[in-house]
């Protein structure tokens, strides 16, 4: 599965961005997907995952502000009410098993990341 993110950028606090992740394969061949983020020098943070049945799990830090959605080959992350602490590199990831706290080395497929900066 090849994943390509886009949609990052710079935004003022309180603003919104929508990230996209194009999968070069049908996402619903039993894959779980997720959005993760990393501040340089810090650990990856799982922010939302969606399983192959469409069930979602959000991190408390983004619950009520971020929304994951999808169509057949694109995963989206709608981010509202952005805060400076949301500044990070955002990655989409896929594997047969993905959860918020899974070590990143256990996830087989990653995009290249897209930078989000909130000031």
């Amino acid at each position: 599965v090849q994943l390509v993110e886009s949609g990052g950028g710079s935004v003022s606090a309180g603003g919104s961005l929508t990230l996209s992740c194009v999968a070069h394969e049908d996402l619903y061949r039993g894959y779980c997907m997720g959005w993760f983020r990393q501040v340089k020098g810090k650990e990856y943070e799982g922010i939302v995952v969606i399983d192959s049945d469409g069930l979602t799990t959000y991190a408390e830090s983004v619950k009520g502000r971020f929304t994951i959605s999808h169509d057949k080959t694109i995963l989206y992350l709608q981010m509202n009410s952005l805060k400076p602490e949301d500044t990070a590199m955002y990655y989409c990831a896929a594997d047969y098993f993905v959860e918020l706290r899974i070590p990143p080395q256990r996830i087989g497929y990653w995009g290249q990341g897209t930078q989000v900066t909130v000031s």
Side-chain angles (χ1 to χ4, degrees), residues 23 25-31 33 70-75:
E25 185 170 328
D26 187 338
L27 292 175
Y28 286 88
R29 292 189 180 183
Y31 286 114
M33 303 285 295
H70 63 86
D71 65 20
K72 195 165 187 177
T73 59
I74 305 177
L75 189 72

Side-chain angles (χ1 to χ4, degrees), residues 31-83:
Y31 286 114
C32 298
M33 303 285 295
W35 286 97
F36 293 74
R37 65 187 180 188
Q38 187 183 31
V39 176
K40 193 173 183 179
K42 297 188 177 181
E43 293 184 353
Y44 279 87
E45 177 189 10
I47 55 176
V48 58
V49 297
I50 182 167
D51 69 16
S52 57
D53 293 322
L55 296 176
T56 58
T57 305
Y58 290 87
E60 287 298 322
S61 58
V62 304
K63 195 176 289 184
R65 300 188 298 121
F66 291 12
T67 303
I68 193 171
S69 62
H70 63 86
D71 65 20
K72 195 165 187 177
T73 59
I74 305 177
L75 189 72
Y76 300 99
L77 183 66
Q78 175 67 42
M79 305 186 294
N80 298 326
S81 302
L82 282 161
K83 304 174 181 180

Side-chain angles (χ1 to χ4, degrees), residues 3-6 8 35-36 89-92 110-115:
L3 305 172
V4 180
E5 302 100 332
S6 62
W35 286 97
F36 293 74
M89 185 72 80
Y90 283 70
Y91 299 88
C92 67
W110 292 87
Q112 83 287 354
T114 185
Q115 178 68 38

